[in-house]
Every structure is written in structure tokens, then in C-alpha cells.
Amino acid sequence: MIEKIIDLSIKNKFLVILMTLFVIAAGTYAMLKTPLDAIPDLSDAQVIIFTEYPGQAPQVVEDQVTYPLTTAMLSVPFAKVVRGYSFFNLSFVYIIFEDGTDLYWARSRVLEYLNFVSGRLPQGVTPSLGPDATGVGWVYEYILESDRHDLSQLRSIQDWFLRYELASVPGVSEVASIGGYVKQYQVVVDPNKLIAYNIPLQKIKMAVQRSNNDVGGKMVEMGETEFMVRGLGYIKSIEDLNNIPLGVDQRGTPILLQNVATIKIGPELRRGLADYNGTGETVGGIVVMRYGENALKVIENVKKRLDQLKSGLPEGVRIKSVYDRSGLILRAVDNLKRTLIEECVIVAVVCIVFLLHFRSAFVGIFTLPVGVLISFIIMERQGINANIMSLGGIAIAVGAMVDAAIVMIENAHKHIEHDGGKKPHWDLIADAAKEVGPSLFFSLLIIAVSFLPVFTLEAQEGRLFRPLAYTKTYAMIGSSLLAVTIVPVMMGYLIRGKILPEHKNPVNRFLIWIYHPIIKLVLKAKILVILLAIVVMTVSYIPWKRTGSEFMPPLNEGDLLYMPTTLPGISITK
């Protein structure tokens, strides 16, 4: 079958060359479109349920919110772990799904079960889903600096201007605000005045809620024109709160909110703060990327949007980037690209040195980039990011990818050396390719199949090493297909002219001169060689036992994010 493919390729040279050009074009397009990231996403498919229960202690939050949600989520299909955490005012429930579960399918199932459990929660408590992101979604962080604005003003700029603008950037799942003070109207009630006026606290709460509202009426026609009737009641200032009526006293005098309370603008109770480089508190924003997006493209779009938003900031406010993963991504990818180029250059030099025929060496060198482009086509279709592991798989395969072409070229040289001039040129090439083509094709497939056990890895191990196994396998399959299609065609066009015989190649003669006495010595002392091999294998057990192990090698991003937590009861001021 392989011989027939080689014959068809040689007979249909134009179609083979045309198909190769199509593959190069498609591979280039796929390579430019493939998402870039530094490391593969090792996160489980996870959905977070976030619930606020204001003013309640952790035990109450646990009993009334976290426990009902946790027990309901245990029935979600393909959920393998459900964890609940209760804090003051807050409840978090984490649902971790089995490997291979689509994140958006999981979110839709969780929403269905939230509808069932909502009736068991306290009145006014509404759970919400966390962002559709994973543990590696934190891609960009910035802070706001100003000599003219305090922390509360900077936080307002972040919450009401920057956050909404950045959330509209394609690929951004959430923009979280951190640090500063959230401004709020604070009604400080005097209990003695409440007793004097005989007003319960609940009545003040209802009065504030009732007065912070717009009321719509019907239409009024005047002078052949319709006018909409509206009652404007939204609170816009402290004065509006001061004038909220609570009732009348015994004399019929209105009792206003300012008669029983002091109204002011103050900060909301904080549960954390942000510090930059030890210089003091700051206000910042964290950009979280949506699951499956191109991290580098998202970061570039966020930077462009921030540049556009600078003109709309108050005078004196500056945006400063403090964490940017694009630097790590570019460094990692550039490092691997440089390694791949170095490997290709080394392979090219070795081919030229041993063949001493540049055009023949070009045939072998040509298969390297084309094989890599074939792997990118499948990567892009499968949704595999270009990261350290996936590009590392291609780097591992580079050495073996060129083997088939080199052997086939060497065999073509032998045929031309022995039968040159006796047969037509294309018949010589066809005979040389068919002689070794089937063996080379299946040997490359065997190398590709050798990584099949990696595909059986599960959980984080599988998510870490599968991209490497996929790309190496695709590169080897691509090179094996090239070896029986385009390589024989290129050999026919390029292996022409004066071909130097093997015995006249000084490099080959030197290596054979070294090899012959060594192999004779080894074959004479067979038992000694076997014993030495056993001794070396036995001695290697000692360093193997002493060698440490870890899941991943250390990765220095160049950034330090320090996130300390304190014991319960310690205030944020402390």
C-alpha cells in the first residue's frame, strides 16, 4: 500500500506539490490563530456559587445558606466534589466536575439546581454564579495612582468607570475591584431620639427604601401634546436623606430622618485591602479572562482599552500596570521558538555535512517546518493552546521527524551511485523510495504510538502532559505522511548532478574508521560488555533513589504577589 502511495505521488507530482502548498498555507493560518499561553490550564471544571447574607455570623450563614446549597449540589450530574465555605456575610460553594465536562454545560446544570433550592433559602438571599473562568484566568492587574484623589474617590472611578468599560472587552469574564473604600450613605440612628418619638428602627429602614424610588404615572394631554407623569424620588444627596419623613408628632409636626439620625457619607465595612510595593494602600483592578480564550490577545485588547480610557480619567489619575502575563507568555514562546530554530539549524548542518549535497539536504530540512505546520492545523482544530508543553512536544519530535527523509535520500544516493545512467532518473528515485519507504513510514508511526500511554493520564497529570503527547504525535504523523508523498517528488527534482559517493565523503570515512575497531572489540568481549552494562544499571539505582521529585519544575514569572490571611477576629486596621 505504501509503495502504491509513493508511485501515485511520483506520477501526480503537480497535485502533490499543490496539496503541500495548501497544507503550508493552512498551517500558517492555524499557527497565527492558535491561542498563546505560558502554561496549560491544569484547573478542574469548576463552578462557584457566591451568596451574600448581610450581617450574619458564619454559623448562621453555614446553617441557612451554605448547607442547603451544598446538599442540593451533590445531585448535579458529573459533580465529583462539592465544598462549602462560610464567612461573615458570605457563602462560597465550589462544585468540581469530572474530567472532560464542558464548563458551560456544568454552569447550566448548576443553574437548574439553584432554581430548586432557592425556596429553601432565607428571604432576600439570591445566590449567583462566579465568573466563567479558571485558576489561570488571572491575566492582568493594574492600580490607580493620584496625588489629588483619596482612596474612596479612586475606588469610585474603578467601580463606576473602568470596571464596566473593561468588562466589555472580548474575552474578559470579570473585572474585580480591590482596595480603597466603597462610598455609601450611612444613617447613624440615635436610640434615645427613637424612644422619644416612639419610632421603631424598622420604620426608618422602610422609610428610606420607600423614599429611594421613582414612581411612574399615566399620560397627560395638554395643547395636543402628551406628557408623561413621573414622581422623581431617587436619593442623590445627603439633603435628600435628611428630608425623608418618618411621621408626625403629637402636635402634627413632621418628623424627618434628620431629627432622629445623623446622615453622612462614609466607607463600607472592609474585609481586605491592597498594598503596592510596601508604599501604602492603593486601589486596583484584576482582569479575569474567560475560559478557553487567547490570553495574549485578551491582554493586548485590555491594554488598548486602558489607553483609550486614559483621556476620560480625572486630571491627575494615572493607570499603572502591576501584573501582566503577556511578558511571561512571550518569553516562554520566544524561548521555545529559539530552541526549535536552533534544532532545525543543527539538523540542517548535520544533513549538509553528512550528505555533502546542499539540495539533498534541503529535502530533509523541508520536512521539518511542514511537519510542524501540520501539527498546528490539528492543534487549532482541537483547541490546544500553544504553550510550554505543547511546543515542547514539537521540540522533542524534531530530531526524529527528519530521520525518514535522510534515510530515503541516502538510499537514493546509493541507487544513483550504482545505477546512474542505466535507468531513467525518476525510476531510480521511485525504486529508492519504495525500497525503504514502507519501513520508514511504519517506524515513524511506532514512534508516534509510543506516547499513547501518556493519553491514559487523568486529572492534572493528564492536563499537563497531554498537550505534549498530542503535538509530538501529530508532528510524527505529519512527517510520516510527508516521507511517502512530497519527499520522493522533491528527491526527483533536487537530487541531480554530481553525487559524491559515500567512500569519498571525509566525514563518513572518519566515522567508519572509528566505528569498525570499536564494534570488533565489543563483539570479541561480549560477556564483559554485558557485565559492564549490568553494573552500570545496578549502580544507577543509587542516584535514582536519591533524586527528588515534584509535580512541576519551578516557574519564575518575575512577579511577586503576596496574599496574607489573618486569624478570625483580627480587624483589617490591625
Side-chain angles (χ1 to χ4, degrees), residues 140 166 169 172 287 298-306:
Y140 191 80
L166 292 177
V169 174
V172 173
V287 179
V298 170
I299 294 171
E300 290 175 352
N301 291 337
V302 168
K303 289 179 181 178
K304 290 179 183 177
R305 183 61 60 87
L306 284 175

Side-chain angles (χ1 to χ4, degrees), residues 539-556:
V539 173
S540 64
Y541 176 79
I542 298 173
W544 176 70
K545 290 296 292 183
R546 293 180 179 178
T547 303
S549 62
E550 58 181 338
F551 180 63
M552 285 185 67
L555 179 64
N556 183 10

Side-chain angles (χ1 to χ4, degrees), residues 326-366:
S326 62
L328 173 66
I329 296 171
L330 292 175
R331 289 197 305 271
V333 174
D334 287 344
N335 184 38
L336 281 168
K337 282 198 294 188
R338 187 174 65 252
T339 303
L340 285 172
I341 292 171
E342 290 172 354
E343 287 186 333
C344 293
V345 170
I346 292 171
V347 170
V349 170
V350 170
C351 292
I352 294 172
V353 168
F354 280 89
L355 296 175
L356 285 181
H357 191 261
F358 179 79
R359 286 179 298 174
S360 298
F362 177 76
V363 176
I365 298 166
F366 177 79

Side-chain angles (χ1 to χ4, degrees), residues 59-86:
Q59 187 59 50
V60 177
V61 174
E62 172 72 22
D63 295 339
Q64 299 188 18
V65 178
T66 306
Y67 180 75
L69 289 175
T70 304
T71 53
M73 293 303 122
L74 290 172
S75 303
V76 175
F78 302 110
K80 64 177 182 179
V81 178
V82 179
R83 301 190 183 105
Y85 299 92
S86 302

Side-chain angles (χ1 to χ4, degrees), residues 12 31 45 64 88 215 262 279 389 409 440 460 519 529 536:
N12 300 276
M31 182 175 63
Q64 299 188 18
F88 179 73
V215 179
T262 302
T279 57
M389 298 304 293
I409 293 166
L440 293 173
Q460 290 184 336
I519 194 67
V529 171
V536 170

Side-chain angles (χ1 to χ4, degrees), residues 68-289:
L69 289 175
T70 304
T71 53
M73 293 303 122
L74 290 172
S75 303
V76 175
F78 302 110
K80 64 177 182 179
V81 178
V82 179
R83 301 190 183 105
Y85 299 92
S86 302
F87 305 93
F88 179 73
N89 290 341
L90 304 173
S91 168
F92 291 92
V93 176
Y94 296 82
I95 304 102
I96 300 175
F97 289 82
E98 295 178 4
D99 286 346
T101 305
D102 181 73
L103 180 63
Y104 293 100
W105 182 90
R107 291 172 67 85
S108 64
R109 297 288 80 77
V110 171
L111 278 175
E112 289 179 4
Y113 280 78
L114 275 180
N115 291 332
F116 297 143
V117 76
S118 58
R120 296 162 52 189
L121 300 178
Q123 187 176 3
V125 174
T126 305
S128 59
L129 295 187
D132 52 341
T134 62
V136 296
W138 189 331
V139 295
Y140 191 80
E141 185 177 356
Y142 60 90
I143 62 170
L144 300 179
E145 295 180 325
S146 176
D147 299 328
R148 308 179 186 180
H149 300 78
D150 58 28
L151 292 174
S152 63
Q153 292 172 321
L154 292 176
R155 179 61 184 258
S156 297
I157 295 170
Q158 161 62 21
D159 285 342
W160 301 104
F161 178 54
L162 293 176
R163 184 162 65 97
Y164 294 121
E165 290 288 344
L166 292 177
S168 64
V169 174
V172 173
S173 174
E174 181 186 32
V175 180
S177 300
I178 184 172
Y181 299 93
V182 178
K183 288 197 297 185
Q184 61 178 193
Y185 290 112
Q186 296 180 345
V187 180
V188 184
V189 179
D190 188 338
N192 295 323
K193 292 181 179 180
L194 289 182
I195 295 173
Y197 285 107
N198 193 25
I199 296 176
L201 187 61
Q202 184 65 23
K203 188 173 183 179
I204 293 180
K205 180 181 178 182
M206 292 176 59
V208 172
Q209 290 177 340
R210 184 183 66 244
S211 300
N212 187 29
N213 191 21
D214 272 6
V215 179
K218 292 188 177 181
M219 307 290 294
V220 174
E221 184 177 346
M222 295 175 62
E224 298 181 354
T225 304
E226 289 183 344
F227 295 90
M228 292 181 292
V229 179
R230 295 173 59 202
L232 304 179
Y234 281 125
I235 295 171
K236 297 181 179 180
S237 65
I238 293 178
E239 190 64 27
D240 293 339
L241 280 167
N242 282 329
N243 295 325
I244 291 177
L246 302 177
V248 294
D249 60 12
Q250 295 176 352
R251 300 176 183 178
T253 304
I255 304 173
L256 303 179
L257 185 58
Q258 62 184 350
N259 299 134
V260 297
T262 302
I263 296 95
K264 62 180 181 179
I265 293 178
E268 186 181 359
L269 180 66
R270 297 196 299 169
R271 304 293 293 163
L273 58 83
D275 177 271
Y276 177 64
N277 279 351
T279 57
E281 289 193 48
T282 188
V283 175
I286 301 168
V287 179
V288 181
M289 178 186 68

Side-chain angles (χ1 to χ4, degrees), residues 475-522:
M476 296 304 301
I477 291 174
S479 63
S480 62
L481 292 174
L482 293 173
V484 296
T485 52
I486 189 64
V487 169
V489 175
M490 292 185 68
M491 282 168 41
Y493 283 117
L494 297 178
I495 303 180
R496 294 176 181 271
K498 186 178 179 180
I499 304 296
L500 192 68
E502 185 180 34
H503 65 273
K504 292 185 179 181
N505 187 325
V507 177
N508 289 344
R509 281 191 298 170
F510 174 73
L511 293 176
I512 291 172
W513 177 73
I514 295 176
Y515 176 74
H516 278 171
I518 293 176
I519 194 67
K520 289 178 181 178
L521 179 63
V522 168

